[in-house]
Amino acid sequence: MGGSPLQTAKIDMVLPIFGDVHFTTALIFDTGVYIAVVGLVAEILRSLGAEIDRHGEMEEGVWDADIRIEPSHDARQNLREEMESQAGLSERTSPQQEAERLAMAAEQRDAATEGEQQ
């Protein structure tokens, strides 16, 4: 119990059929990693195979003509359209109108500072 963190234990035993067997506790972790990797690769291959089968069925005409495969609708598109419609309701200013507005604001600011100085 007084070992360091991540220290592995080594077990040596003699089995009747196998003879001398050397077992370490790190073997348990390595086996888990191996199983996870094999499972992930098998899942990827299965999903790729299913996609190939689906496209093959479409080419052979097994699917109904009414079925259309389309990407799912992006909810951000609705938000964008809503924001554009709201922006369309408010009048947009041209660069010339914006410059005039800024010039008037500067004149008002200057007039206000002159009034404070007097």
Side-chain angles (χ1 to χ4, degrees):
M1 281 288 199
S4 65
L6 302 177
Q7 179 180 0
T8 61
K10 185 171 97 173
I11 302 168
D12 295 322
M13 61 181 109
V14 177
L15 295 176
I17 297 174
F18 299 106
D20 289 337
V21 175
H22 304 285
F23 177 79
T24 60
T25 55
L27 183 63
I28 298 168
F29 174 78
D30 293 341
T31 303
V33 170
Y34 175 77
I35 291 171
V37 169
V38 168
L40 181 63
V41 169
E43 179 63 23
I44 289 171
L45 292 175
R46 186 193 63 79
S47 66
L48 289 175
E51 188 71 20
I52 291 171
D53 289 343
R54 187 175 69 133
H55 284 289
E57 289 173 355
M58 288 175 57
E59 289 175 2
E60 293 172 4
V62 175
W63 286 39
D64 292 335
D66 296 338
I67 296 176
R68 293 181 51 189
I69 298 176
E70 296 178 357
S72 63
H73 183 72
D74 190 0
R76 295 176 294 176
Q77 183 67 26
N78 290 341
L79 179 62
R80 179 177 177 216
E81 291 170 358
E82 182 180 330
M83 290 174 65
E84 286 177 351
S85 68
Q86 288 176 358
L89 294 176
S90 65
E91 186 177 351
R92 293 189 180 187
T93 59
S94 68
Q96 183 181 1
Q97 291 172 333
E98 185 67 21
E100 291 172 1
R101 187 186 66 79
L102 290 174
M104 285 178 38
E107 289 175 7
Q108 290 175 355
R109 185 187 66 228
D110 292 341
T113 54
E114 286 178 10
E116 290 176 5
Q117 291 176 355
Q118 292 178 359

